[in-house]
């Protein structure tokens, strides 16, 4: 019994791998391209663990994927591998199409070629779990109900369009070829090991460095926030009991405006790492020009996952964000390791003055 996890050195994937191996003896083969956001240091605790095999490679490499499937004969593939940052997709969409669309296609085709080599029992138990995003649904008005699994797709960024395309491929390979697929669409994740280009880790990182805290537009964009370890537990549950061919929305029931998230982080840092002379971290908040096509509101209706599979998040936003801020305070060596010169140059180019 083995899992093949793709993108398992990235933020969500690495948390999934760490949590899985903390609770299970089932091995993981971890295929990751190790781009800027894939960090083997996150998995350092598994360096001498025989249950974890890290393979550097691209999901678009069909020969490599076929070799891994044949060699390890996994009972499931869990696909986290994706380019995921909206701002980067606006600046350079080609890489998002290559990884998120062509890469997913190659994975599906490799699995389709692999399944006939299994016994009937193995084929019946096999699952391909595709991890996606709520951004495929587009944007909501303030009075709109949250996204459900029946919400029509309406992606508004190159990133969300590439993930929508990958979701459609997964669905089509199930209906056409009978692949036993599962899809999860999650809300905004946060927590340990988050690369500091996304809002929450960026704000913590900049605040501790005394740098401006950039907030797009008026800061009133609303997101549903999901603690990453809750997301990982939801994926484990869907993998265990989800119905092949179905989609499950995963949310935290925590809608917050971006500016309120930033102010919450500032207040926590005021308490945990106070500035001298009575200064406040909120003084660093700086409003910057909004990004093109910025969706105004996301919200997830996760009732199906609770009703059918009995899952609910364990963390509120208040408990999860406190754990996250404390983790970054306690793990500055990890942060320094990932915020290289290339990262600093990108942030400088993107946010400018």
């Amino acid at each position: 019994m083995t899992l093949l996890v793709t993108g398992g050195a990235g933020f969500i994937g690495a948390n999934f791998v760490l949590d899985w191996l903390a609770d299970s003896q089932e091995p993981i083969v971890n295929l990751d391209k190790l781009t800027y956001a894939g960090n083997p240091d996150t998995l350092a605790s598994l360096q001498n663990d025989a249950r974890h095999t890290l393979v550097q490679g691209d999901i678009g490499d069909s020969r490599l994927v076929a070799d891994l499937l044949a060699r390890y004969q996994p009972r499931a593939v869990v696909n986290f591998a994706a380019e995921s940052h909206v701002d980067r997709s606006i600046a350079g969409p080609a890489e998002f199409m290559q990884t998120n669309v062509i890469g997913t296609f190659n994975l599906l085709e490799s699995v389709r070629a692999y399944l006939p080599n299994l016994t009937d029992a193995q084929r019946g138990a096999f699952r391909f779990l595709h991890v996606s995003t709520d951004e495929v649904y587009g944007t909501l008005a303030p009075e709109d109900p949250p996204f459900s699994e029946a919400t029509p797709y309406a992606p508004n960024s190159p990133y969300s369009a590439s993930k929508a395309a990958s979701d459609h491929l997964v669905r089509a390979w199930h209906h056409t070829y009978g692949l036993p697929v599962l899809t999860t669409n999650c809300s905004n994740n946060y927590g340990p090991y988050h690369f500091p280009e996304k809002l929450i880790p960026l704000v913590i990182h900049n605040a501790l460095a005394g740098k401006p805290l950039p907030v797009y537009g008026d800061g009133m964009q609303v997101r549903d926030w999901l603690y990453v370890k809750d997301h990982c537990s939801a994926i484990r549950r869907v993998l265990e009991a989800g119905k092949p061919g179905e989609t499950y929305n995963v949310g935290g029931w925590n809608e917050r405006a971006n500016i309120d998230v930033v102010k919450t982080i500032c207040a926590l840092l005021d308490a945990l790492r106070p500035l001298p002379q009575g200064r406040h971290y909120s003084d660093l908040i700086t409003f910057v020009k909004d990004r093109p096509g910025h969706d105004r509101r996301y919200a997830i209706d996760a009732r199906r996952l609770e009703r059918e599979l009995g899952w609910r998040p364990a963390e509120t936003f208040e408990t999860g964000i406190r754990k996250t801020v404390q983790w970054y305070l306690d793990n500055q060596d990890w942060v320094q390791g990932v915020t290289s010169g290339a990262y600093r140059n990108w942030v400088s180019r993107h946010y400018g003055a």
Side-chain angles (χ1 to χ4, degrees), residues 297-346:
R297 174 176 170 244
Y298 303 144
I300 280 283
D301 181 346
R303 286 179 295 178
R304 182 187 188 190
L305 190 52
E306 180 177 7
R307 182 176 65 250
E308 297 184 11
L309 302 185
W311 177 90
R312 274 191 68 87
E315 302 291 344
T316 65
F317 183 72
E318 288 72 25
T319 62
I321 195 64
R322 176 173 285 275
K323 288 181 178 180
T324 300
V325 171
Q326 189 63 62
W327 186 90
Y328 278 91
L329 290 173
D330 294 340
N331 291 273
Q332 281 297 295
D333 287 346
W334 182 89
V335 175
Q336 294 304 318
V338 300
T339 51
S340 65
Y343 163 80
R344 290 193 296 272
N345 291 339
W346 185 86

Coordinates of all heavy atoms in Angstrom, one line a residue, residues 297-346:
R297 N -15.2 38.5 -3.9 CA -15.6 37.7 -2.7 C -15.6 36.2 -3.1 O -16.1 35.8 -4.2 CB -17.0 38.1 -2.2 CG -17.5 37.1 -1.1 CD -18.9 37.6 -0.6 NE -19.5 36.6 0.3 CZ -20.6 36.0 0.1 NH1 -21.3 36.3 -1.0 NH2 -21.1 35.1 0.9
Y298 N -15.0 35.4 -2.3 CA -15.2 33.9 -2.3 C -15.8 33.4 -1.0 O -15.5 34.0 0.0 CB -13.8 33.2 -2.5 CG -13.0 33.6 -3.6 CD1 -11.6 33.6 -3.5 CD2 -13.5 33.9 -4.9 CE1 -10.8 33.9 -4.5 CE2 -12.7 34.2 -5.9 CZ -11.3 34.2 -5.8 OH -10.5 34.6 -6.8
A299 N -16.7 32.4 -1.1 CA -17.2 31.8 0.1 C -17.6 30.4 -0.3 O -18.1 30.1 -1.4 CB -18.4 32.5 0.6
I300 N -17.3 29.4 0.6 CA -17.5 28.0 0.3 C -18.7 27.4 1.2 O -18.7 27.7 2.4 CB -16.2 27.2 0.6 CG1 -15.3 27.3 -0.6 CG2 -16.5 25.7 0.8 CD1 -15.6 26.5 -1.8
D301 N -19.6 26.7 0.5 CA -20.6 26.0 1.2 C -20.0 24.5 1.3 O -20.0 23.8 0.3 CB -21.9 26.0 0.5 CG -23.0 25.2 1.1 OD1 -22.7 24.4 2.1 OD2 -24.2 25.4 0.7
A302 N -19.6 24.2 2.5 CA -19.0 22.8 2.7 C -19.9 21.8 3.4 O -19.5 20.8 4.0 CB -17.7 23.0 3.6
R303 N -21.2 22.1 3.2 CA -22.2 21.2 3.9 C -22.3 19.8 3.4 O -22.5 18.9 4.1 CB -23.6 21.9 3.9 CG -23.7 23.1 4.8 CD -25.1 23.7 4.8 NE -25.4 24.3 3.4 CZ -26.5 24.8 3.1 NH1 -27.5 24.9 3.9 NH2 -26.7 25.3 1.9
R304 N -22.0 19.7 2.1 CA -22.0 18.3 1.5 C -21.0 17.4 2.1 O -21.2 16.3 2.4 CB -21.8 18.4 0.0 CG -21.9 17.0 -0.6 CD -21.6 17.0 -2.1 NE -21.8 15.7 -2.6 CZ -21.5 15.3 -3.8 NH1 -20.8 16.0 -4.6 NH2 -21.8 14.0 -4.3
L305 N -19.8 18.0 2.3 CA -18.7 17.2 2.9 C -19.0 16.8 4.4 O -18.7 15.7 4.8 CB -17.4 18.1 2.9 CG -16.1 17.4 3.2 CD1 -15.9 16.1 2.5 CD2 -14.9 18.4 3.0
E306 N -19.7 17.7 5.1 CA -20.2 17.4 6.4 C -21.3 16.4 6.4 O -21.3 15.4 7.2 CB -20.6 18.6 7.2 CG -21.0 18.3 8.6 CD -21.4 19.6 9.4 OE1 -21.4 20.7 8.8 OE2 -21.7 19.5 10.6
R307 N -22.2 16.6 5.5 CA -23.4 15.7 5.5 C -23.1 14.3 5.1 O -23.6 13.3 5.6 CB -24.5 16.3 4.5 CG -25.8 15.6 4.4 CD -26.8 16.3 3.6 NE -26.3 16.4 2.2 CZ -25.9 17.5 1.6 NH1 -25.8 18.7 2.2 NH2 -25.5 17.5 0.3
E308 N -22.3 14.1 4.0 CA -22.0 12.8 3.4 C -20.8 12.1 4.0 O -20.8 10.9 4.1 CB -21.9 13.0 1.9 CG -23.1 13.5 1.2 CD -22.9 13.5 -0.3 OE1 -21.9 12.9 -0.8 OE2 -23.8 14.1 -1.0
L309 N -19.8 12.9 4.5 CA -18.6 12.3 4.9 C -18.2 12.6 6.4 O -17.2 12.2 6.9 CB -17.4 12.6 4.0 CG -17.6 12.2 2.5 CD1 -16.3 12.6 1.8 CD2 -17.9 10.8 2.4
G310 N -19.0 13.5 7.0 CA -18.9 13.8 8.4 C -17.7 14.6 8.8 O -17.2 14.6 9.9
W311 N -17.2 15.5 7.8 CA -16.1 16.3 8.1 C -16.5 17.8 8.4 O -17.4 18.3 7.7 CB -15.1 16.3 6.9 CG -14.0 17.3 7.1 CD1 -12.8 16.9 7.6 CD2 -13.9 18.7 6.8 NE1 -11.9 18.0 7.7 CE2 -12.6 19.1 7.1 CE3 -14.8 19.6 6.2 CZ2 -12.2 20.4 7.0 CZ3 -14.4 20.9 6.0 CH2 -13.1 21.3 6.4
R312 N -15.9 18.3 9.4 CA -15.9 19.8 9.7 C -14.5 20.2 10.1 O -13.8 19.5 10.6 CB -16.9 20.1 10.8 CG -18.3 20.2 10.4 CD -19.2 20.8 11.5 NE -18.9 22.2 11.8 CZ -19.4 23.2 11.2 NH1 -20.2 23.1 10.2 NH2 -19.0 24.5 11.5
P313 N -14.2 21.5 9.8 CA -12.9 22.0 10.3 C -12.8 22.0 11.8 O -13.8 22.3 12.5 CB -12.9 23.4 9.7 CG -14.3 23.8 9.5 CD -15.0 22.6 9.1
A314 N -11.6 21.8 12.3 CA -11.4 21.8 13.7 C -11.0 23.2 14.2 O -11.3 23.5 15.4 CB -10.3 20.8 14.1
E315 N -10.5 24.0 13.4 CA -10.0 25.4 13.8 C -11.0 26.4 13.4 O -11.5 26.4 12.2 CB -8.6 25.7 13.1 CG -7.6 24.7 13.5 CD -7.1 24.7 14.9 OE1 -7.4 25.7 15.6 OE2 -6.5 23.7 15.4
T316 N -11.2 27.4 14.2 CA -11.8 28.7 13.9 C -10.7 29.6 13.3 O -9.5 29.2 13.3 CB -12.4 29.4 15.1 OG1 -11.4 29.7 16.0 CG2 -13.4 28.5 15.8
F317 N -11.1 30.7 12.7 CA -10.1 31.6 12.2 C -9.2 32.1 13.3 O -8.0 32.2 13.2 CB -10.7 32.7 11.4 CG -9.6 33.6 10.8 CD1 -8.8 33.2 9.7 CD2 -9.4 34.9 11.3 CE1 -7.9 34.1 9.2 CE2 -8.4 35.7 10.8 CZ -7.6 35.3 9.7
E318 N -9.8 32.4 14.5 CA -9.1 32.9 15.6 C -8.0 32.0 16.1 O -6.9 32.4 16.4 CB -10.1 33.3 16.7 CG -11.0 34.5 16.4 CD -12.0 34.3 15.3 OE1 -12.4 33.1 15.2 OE2 -12.4 35.3 14.7
T319 N -8.4 30.7 16.2 CA -7.4 29.7 16.7 C -6.4 29.4 15.7 O -5.2 29.3 16.0 CB -8.1 28.4 17.2 OG1 -8.8 27.8 16.0 CG2 -9.1 28.7 18.3
G320 N -6.8 29.3 14.4 CA -5.8 29.0 13.4 C -4.8 30.1 13.1 O -3.6 29.8 12.9
I321 N -5.3 31.4 13.1 CA -4.4 32.4 12.8 C -3.4 32.6 13.9 O -2.2 33.0 13.7 CB -5.1 33.8 12.5 CG1 -4.2 34.8 11.8 CG2 -5.8 34.3 13.7 CD1 -3.7 34.3 10.4
R322 N -3.8 32.4 15.2 CA -2.8 32.5 16.3 C -1.8 31.4 16.2 O -0.6 31.7 16.4 CB -3.6 32.4 17.6 CG -2.7 32.4 18.8 CD -3.4 32.4 20.1 NE -4.0 33.7 20.4 CZ -3.3 34.7 21.0 NH1 -2.0 34.5 21.4 NH2 -3.8 35.9 21.2
K323 N -2.2 30.2 15.8 CA -1.2 29.1 15.6 C -0.2 29.5 14.5 O 1.0 29.2 14.6 CB -1.9 27.8 15.3 CG -2.6 27.2 16.5 CD -3.3 25.9 16.1 CE -3.9 25.2 17.3 NZ -4.6 24.0 17.0
T324 N -0.7 30.1 13.4 CA 0.1 30.4 12.3 C 1.1 31.5 12.6 O 2.3 31.4 12.3 CB -0.8 30.9 11.1 OG1 -1.7 29.8 10.8 CG2 0.0 31.3 9.9
V325 N 0.7 32.6 13.2 CA 1.6 33.6 13.6 C 2.7 33.1 14.5 O 3.9 33.4 14.4 CB 0.8 34.8 14.3 CG1 1.8 35.8 14.9 CG2 -0.1 35.5 13.2
Q326 N 2.3 32.3 15.5 CA 3.3 31.7 16.5 C 4.2 30.8 15.7 O 5.4 30.8 16.0 CB 2.5 31.0 17.6 CG 3.5 30.5 18.7 CD 4.1 31.7 19.4 OE1 3.4 32.5 20.0 NE2 5.4 31.8 19.4
W327 N 3.8 30.1 14.8 CA 4.7 29.2 14.0 C 5.7 30.0 13.3 O 6.9 29.6 13.3 CB 3.9 28.3 13.0 CG 4.8 27.3 12.3 CD1 5.0 26.0 12.7 CD2 5.5 27.5 11.1 NE1 5.9 25.4 11.9 CE2 6.2 26.3 10.9 CE3 5.7 28.6 10.2 CZ2 7.1 26.1 9.8 CZ3 6.6 28.4 9.1 CH2 7.2 27.2 8.9
Y328 N 5.3 31.1 12.7 CA 6.3 31.9 11.9 C 7.3 32.6 12.9 O 8.5 32.7 12.6 CB 5.6 33.0 11.1 CG 5.2 32.4 9.7 CD1 3.9 31.8 9.6 CD2 6.0 32.3 8.7 CE1 3.5 31.2 8.4 CE2 5.6 31.7 7.5 CZ 4.4 31.2 7.4 OH 4.0 30.6 6.2
L329 N 6.8 33.0 14.1 CA 7.7 33.5 15.1 C 8.8 32.5 15.5 O 9.9 32.8 15.7 CB 7.0 34.0 16.3 CG 6.1 35.3 16.0 CD1 5.3 35.6 17.3 CD2 7.0 36.5 15.7
D330 N 8.3 31.2 15.6 CA 9.2 30.2 16.1 C 10.1 29.5 15.0 O 11.0 28.7 15.4 CB 8.3 29.0 16.7 CG 7.6 29.5 18.0 OD1 8.0 30.5 18.6 OD2 6.6 28.8 18.4
N331 N 9.8 29.9 13.8 CA 10.5 29.2 12.7 C 11.1 30.2 11.7 O 11.0 30.0 10.4 CB 9.6 28.2 12.0 CG 9.2 27.0 12.8 OD1 9.9 26.0 12.8 ND2 8.1 27.1 13.5
Q332 N 11.8 31.2 12.2 CA 12.4 32.2 11.3 C 13.5 31.6 10.5 O 13.8 32.1 9.4 CB 12.9 33.4 12.2 CG 11.8 34.3 12.6 CD 11.1 35.0 11.4 OE1 11.7 35.8 10.7 NE2 9.8 34.7 11.1
D333 N 14.2 30.5 10.9 CA 15.2 29.9 10.1 C 14.6 29.4 8.8 O 15.2 29.6 7.7 CB 15.9 28.8 10.8 CG 16.8 29.3 11.9 OD1 17.1 30.5 11.9 OD2 17.2 28.5 12.8
W334 N 13.5 28.8 8.9 CA 12.8 28.3 7.7 C 12.4 29.5 6.7 O 12.6 29.4 5.5 CB 11.5 27.5 8.0 CG 10.8 26.9 6.9 CD1 11.0 25.7 6.3 CD2 9.8 27.6 6.1 NE1 10.2 25.5 5.2 CE2 9.4 26.6 5.0 CE3 9.2 28.8 6.1 CZ2 8.4 26.9 4.1 CZ3 8.2 29.1 5.2 CH2 7.8 28.2 4.2
V335 N 11.9 30.5 7.3 CA 11.5 31.7 6.5 C 12.7 32.3 5.8 O 12.7 32.6 4.6 CB 10.8 32.7 7.4 CG1 10.5 34.0 6.6 CG2 9.5 32.2 8.0
Q336 N 13.8 32.4 6.5 CA 15.0 33.0 5.9 C 15.5 32.1 4.8 O 16.1 32.6 3.8 CB 16.1 33.2 7.0 CG 15.7 34.2 8.0 CD 15.4 35.6 7.4 OE1 16.1 36.1 6.5 NE2 14.4 36.3 8.0
G337 N 15.3 30.8 5.0 CA 15.8 29.9 3.9 C 15.0 30.0 2.6 O 15.6 29.8 1.6
V338 N 13.8 30.4 2.7 CA 13.0 30.5 1.4 C 12.9 31.9 0.9 O 12.6 32.0 -0.3 CB 11.5 29.9 1.7 CG1 11.6 28.5 2.1 CG2 10.8 30.8 2.6
T339 N 13.2 32.9 1.6 CA 13.1 34.2 1.1 C 14.5 34.6 0.6 O 15.2 35.5 1.1 CB 12.7 35.2 2.2 OG1 13.5 35.0 3.4 CG2 11.2 35.0 2.6
S340 N 14.8 34.0 -0.6 CA 16.1 34.2 -1.2 C 16.1 35.6 -2.0 O 15.1 36.3 -2.0 CB 16.3 33.1 -2.2 OG 15.3 33.2 -3.3
G341 N 17.2 35.9 -2.6 CA 17.3 37.1 -3.4 C 16.3 37.1 -4.5 O 15.7 38.2 -4.8
A342 N 16.0 35.9 -5.1 CA 15.0 35.9 -6.2 C 13.7 36.3 -5.7 O 12.9 37.0 -6.3 CB 15.0 34.5 -6.8
Y343 N 13.3 35.8 -4.5 CA 12.0 36.2 -3.9 C 12.0 37.7 -3.6 O 11.0 38.3 -4.0 CB 11.8 35.4 -2.6 CG 10.7 36.0 -1.7 CD1 9.4 35.7 -1.9 CD2 11.1 36.8 -0.6 CE1 8.4 36.3 -1.1 CE2 10.1 37.4 0.2 CZ 8.7 37.1 -0.1 OH 7.8 37.6 0.7
R344 N 13.0 38.2 -3.0 CA 13.0 39.7 -2.7 C 12.9 40.5 -4.0 O 12.2 41.5 -4.0 CB 14.3 40.0 -1.9 CG 14.3 39.5 -0.5 CD 15.4 40.1 0.3 NE 16.8 39.8 -0.2 CZ 17.5 38.7 0.1 NH1 17.0 37.9 1.0 NH2 18.7 38.6 -0.4
N345 N 13.6 40.1 -5.1 CA 13.5 40.8 -6.3 C 12.1 40.8 -6.9 O 11.6 41.8 -7.4 CB 14.5 40.2 -7.3 CG 16.0 40.5 -6.9 OD1 16.3 41.4 -6.1 ND2 16.9 39.7 -7.4
W346 N 11.5 39.6 -6.8 CA 10.1 39.5 -7.3 C 9.2 40.4 -6.6 O 8.3 41.1 -7.1 CB 9.6 38.0 -7.2 CG 8.3 37.9 -7.9 CD1 8.0 37.7 -9.2 CD2 7.0 38.0 -7.3 NE1 6.7 37.6 -9.4 CE2 6.0 37.8 -8.3 CE3 6.6 38.2 -5.9 CZ2 4.7 37.9 -8.0 CZ3 5.2 38.3 -5.7 CH2 4.3 38.1 -6.7

